[in-house]
Amino acid sequence: MDPGTNDVKAYKAMERYVREGKIRSIGVSCYYINEIDDFIRQVDIKPVLVQNEVHPYYQDTDVVPHIQNLGIAVEAWYPLGGRGHQKEFSPAPESETACFPTTYSEKFMSG
């Protein structure tokens, strides 16, 4: 998937605000190797940050170093409750139970 025309147009509007001193930096979300390589060729100011889904169940081991090698920081996000990648690890790794020893209901809802 290539960055959409509107992605570049919106980013160029933000670049104008950087040049005017209204904002200091710009980041993007959900850009992977092909997308970020294509995108940075179309813009003047390189994003300082790419926010991608990265977590123990989806580590994106090729994408993260690629983006970092471009001089762009990577910020990981993970949707509360997951997006299905946790099924790839069945049963759950022992480390998961060590990280999450109690459930929300056990900790906050017990009487």
Side-chain angles (χ1 to χ4, degrees), residues 7-60:
D7 295 348
V8 173
K9 284 181 183 177
Y11 194 89
K12 288 197 171 284
M14 290 187 285
E15 287 180 324
R16 186 178 73 238
Y17 290 123
V18 170
R19 286 190 288 277
E20 292 172 0
K22 294 180 179 179
I23 59 175
R24 288 183 268 181
S25 58
I26 313 169
V28 295
S29 180
C30 298
Y31 277 65
Y32 298 90
I33 292 174
N34 293 334
E35 292 85 6
I36 194 66
D37 288 348
D38 186 43
F39 185 75
I40 61 176
R41 286 195 273 304
Q42 299 179 61
V43 298
D44 299 321
I45 300 171
K46 185 170 34 173
V48 298
L49 175 92
V50 174
Q51 182 188 56
N52 278 355
E53 180 180 5
V54 180
H55 48 79
Y57 301 116
Y58 188 71
Q59 297 182 18
D60 234 351

Side-chain angles (χ1 to χ4, degrees), residues 65-84:
H66 179 80
I67 292 171
Q68 290 171 331
N69 286 336
L70 294 170
I72 302 171
V74 176
E75 178 180 71
W77 69 270
Y78 181 61
L80 186 62
R83 273 192 358 157

